[in-house]
Structures are given as structure tokens and as C-alpha cells.
Amino acid sequence: MTSLIKTPGAAVSTSSRGTYTYIAAYSAVLYTVLLIAPVIAGKLITQFALTPVQVGALFSLELGAFSLATVPAYLWLNRVNLRTATYVFTTIVIAGNVVSGLLDDFGLLMATRVVTSLAAGSITVIILTLSGKTANPSRAFGVFVVCQLAMGALILAVFPALFSQAPVSAIYWTLAGLDVLCLLVVNGIDGNALRQSIPRDHTRARVPAVRFALGLAAVLLFYVALSGVWSFIAQISAGAGIDLSSSSLVLSLATVAGIVSALTATILGDTPQRKLYLIAGYAVMSISVTLLFGTPGLARFAMAAVIFKFAWTFILPYLLSTLADLSGGGHIMNTTNLMIGAGFAIGPVVSGALIQSAGGAFTGMLMLGVVGVLTSLVCILTAQRKVVHA
């Protein structure tokens, strides 16, 4: 007689598959609006007669709202059904994109984009937290990174040509259509995953608050370093006399390398070698930044850019899964979303100030990158140290 009792392993496997699908779909679609910023920017300038400052303010507000969604999530994340929350937030995102395509007033557009980004950021909080609750967090975070990169590559290849003659409304309405498709995967997650009273590990370690702080600092410094360097990598190329076509080819190859490394981390998943992988990834990332010092030729620049992107996307899943282990996937992953946004905001500003103060030289900015990467490594290794179990 066939047993009708499901094994725990099967339940976890089924739940994880649904969660992975949810993570894949939403991480690819929600980050699209940030990835197509260059495509939207030109059309907004033309349609609304905007200045570059106004366009920059719009995207800064969107990114800021995306990150600040973390704050209200402290109140609702562990109290609501995640399926219901996702349906509500996705509906807001869909409506926001539809309305954005209808507006002809820039002030109203900014307000609409902020509300839309708050809803999208709220779903991202769910993604990050659920990733830490899967049977294999490193793999889940790998899926999170891979799908963003793959969508980014697709956008760079298809969107400019597809929407070259279309108004900005066509882009926003396309995003709304993609958001509708995401609704098909919502039932794959456990809506009560964060409301369950029984911990997944009854012998869970007691982690001192300083470990949480170090883990969050590692993420913040990592993003400050990578965004600071990556934001100006094209300028480094131009300063070294490398022509635009060669530089663009190198950056395209770097994107491919990033996808390959994120896929590698996804396939490897959680492993006893995670600490070793982190050390190796951080070391390689530091080396790639040092290759940019001076006036790199095309070969050295290509090597630095490809290695930098490869290391960055290989490190990230293991960095995030380390934080998930510290908290069991709780509010620390919510706070991580804020650290990511803060790092993205701080890095380019500080790097730009260093470049300007040095009269256009990149030495100070690159030194900040190396120090940020190495300090992030020290923080995450310290946070990983063994703790006493209850």
C-alpha cells in the first residue's frame, strides 16, 4: 500500500522549488526598471523637456524608495501572509506602471514612481527573507543574482532597438505586462513561512548583536566598494585612451563573466567550502581593482573588468547566505536590503568626490575600493566565527 504521508524532505523540496521560481521571476522583473534607466532617461528628457538633474532626481528617488521599503517592512513582514502581501504589492506595481504611461506631468510622475518603487522594494524584502529560509540559501541568492544579470543582458541587447521609436509609455506598459506574468508564480511560496512559531533549528545558536552588525557592515562596505568602482570604470577606460567600442566590448564580456560566476555559485549552492570561496572571491576582486591603478592598457583593463564582475557576482550569494545563517532568515535580511541601497547610493558619491578632489585622477577612488573590499572580508569572516549553541 502506498503511503499517503509526505516526507519532510519532499515537502521542503517542493516548497523550495516554488520559492526559487518566485525569486527568479520577481528578481528579474522588479529590477528591470533600474536596468533600463538609460533607455528611459532619453525619452523622459524629450517627452517632459527635463534637465539631466531632474532625470537624476527621478531615478535617485526610485532607488531610494526601493531601499526605504525596508523600514515599514519591520512592522508587517512577520505578521502577514506573504502570498497576500505579494498580490497587493504587485497590484500596486502594475497600477503604478500603467499610470506612469498615462501621465504628462513630471511632478505626478515622480510621485507615482516613488509609490511604485516602495511596492517593488517591499516584494524585494520578501525575496531576500524567503531566500534565507530555503533549504539551500546560497543557491536561492544565486538565483536572485543570476536572473537580474540575465535580464540586464537581455535588456541591453533588445530594449534599445525594440523601443527606439516608441514613447516612454510603451516601456512602462511593457513593465506592467511583465508584472502581471509574475502573479502566476505567487502560489508557489508558503504564505505563512515567516509566521511559523517553531524555529527551523531547535538548537539554533545564540549570535551576539556584534555579529549581526559586522555582517551588515560587510554588505554595506561591499556595495560601497563595487558601486564606487563600477560607476566610473568607463571613465577609467577613457582616461587610459581606450576607444569607446573596445571599452563597450570589454564591459559586455564582463557582464557575461558575471552571469557565469553567479551560475557557478548557484550550482554549487551551500557548501562547507563557503568560507574558502569567500576568501578567494574577495582576494580576486581586490586584485582586479589594483589592476586599474595607473594607466591600464586594453589587455589589463579587460582583465580587470572581467575579473571584477566575475568575483563580485560570485561573492554575493555566499555573502547573503552568511547573513541568513546568522538570523535564520529573519529581519537581518530585511535590513540587508537597506544596506544594499545605502551602499549603491554612497559609493558613486564618495568616489566622484575623490576623483574631483584629485583633479580627475582615479587613485583615491581605487584605494577606497580596495580598502572597502578587504574590510568587508574581515567583517564577514569575523561574523562567521563559531558561536555557542543554546
Side-chain angles (χ1 to χ4, degrees):
M1 181 177 178
T2 303
S3 173
L4 297 178
I5 302 175
K6 294 181 181 179
T7 65
V12 170
S13 176
T14 301
S15 175
S16 291
R17 280 198 298 271
T19 303
Y20 292 145
T21 304
Y22 175 93
I23 293 167
Y26 272 100
S27 61
V29 172
L30 291 180
Y31 281 82
T32 298
V33 70
L34 302 178
L35 295 170
I36 63 173
V39 180
I40 294 179
K43 295 184 178 298
L44 288 174
I45 290 172
T46 301
Q47 182 170 326
F48 292 93
L50 304 180
T51 65
V53 172
Q54 287 176 307
V55 174
L58 174 63
F59 291 128
S60 293
L61 283 173
E62 285 204 52
L63 181 58
F66 206 88
S67 301
L68 288 176
T70 292
V71 178
Y74 288 117
L75 301 176
W76 61 260
L77 185 59
N78 292 330
R79 294 180 171 87
V80 304
N81 183 288
L82 299 182
R83 289 183 183 177
T84 302
T86 301
Y87 281 126
V88 171
F89 291 132
T90 305
T91 300
I92 295 172
V93 173
I94 293 168
N97 283 324
V98 170
V99 172
S100 295
L102 298 172
L103 296 174
D104 56 9
D105 180 84
F106 181 63
L108 290 176
L109 177 65
M110 291 184 73
T112 302
R113 298 315 304 166
V114 166
V115 172
T116 306
S117 293
L118 279 171
S122 298
I123 300 174
T124 300
V125 168
I126 297 175
I127 291 173
L128 290 173
T129 308
L130 281 181
S131 295
K133 299 282 285 185
T134 60
N136 197 320
S138 293
R139 181 161 295 152
F141 289 121
V143 171
F144 174 69
V145 176
V146 166
C147 290
Q148 290 178 49
L149 293 174
M151 180 61 84
L154 178 64
I155 287 168
L156 290 174
V158 175
F159 262 54
L162 196 61
F163 293 94
S164 60
Q165 303 301 321
V168 71
S169 58
I171 300 176
Y172 284 130
W173 291 339
T174 299
L175 295 177
L178 293 173
D179 295 324
V180 170
L181 294 177
C182 286
L183 292 172
L184 299 175
V185 306
V186 177
N187 281 337
I189 64 173
D190 178 2
N192 295 312
L194 303 183
R195 295 198 294 185
Q196 295 168 355
S197 58
I198 302 175
R200 70 177 179 182
D201 184 359
H202 292 284
T203 62
R204 184 178 166 189
R206 290 180 296 180
V207 182
V210 67
R211 298 280 193 260
F212 293 116
L214 286 169
L216 293 171
V219 173
L220 176 64
L221 290 168
F222 180 74
Y223 272 91
V224 167
L226 78 84
S227 64
V229 172
W230 193 252
S231 295
F232 293 97
I233 198 163
Q235 282 70 29
I236 294 174
S237 171
I242 299 171
D243 64 89
L244 182 59
S245 60
S246 298
S247 178
S248 298
L249 176 61
V250 167
L251 296 182
S252 297
L253 291 174
T255 299
V256 174
I259 295 174
V260 170
S261 67
L263 276 172
T264 301
T266 303
I267 293 169
L268 291 173
D270 280 337
T271 167
Q273 306 302 319
R274 180 172 64 186
K275 183 175 181 179
L276 178 61
Y277 289 162
L278 278 170
I279 293 173
Y282 272 104
V284 170
M285 190 170 175
S286 299
I287 291 171
S288 69
V289 178
T290 62
L291 288 173
L292 294 171
F293 278 94
T295 307
L298 178 59
R300 181 151 62 97
F301 174 76
M303 186 182 302
V306 170
I307 292 175
F308 183 86
K309 194 65 177 284
F310 185 94
W312 154 17
T313 54
F314 182 78
I315 292 168
L316 187 55
Y318 295 112
L319 177 60
L320 295 177
S321 65
T322 298
L323 275 100
D325 283 351
L326 289 175
S327 65
H331 272 304
I332 195 172
M333 298 314 300
N334 179 23
T335 310
T336 298
N337 185 50
L338 188 60
M339 295 299 101
I340 291 172
F344 264 131
I346 294 170
V349 172
V350 174
S351 292
L354 289 172
I355 294 169
Q356 184 173 325
S357 65
F362 299 101
T363 302
M365 178 268 285
L366 293 172
M367 288 181 64
L368 174 67
V370 173
V371 171
V373 168
L374 294 178
T375 307
S376 175
L377 173 61
V378 172
C379 288
I380 201 62
L381 290 182
T382 305
Q384 274 189 337
R385 289 178 182 173
K386 289 184 178 180
V387 293
V388 179
H389 287 262

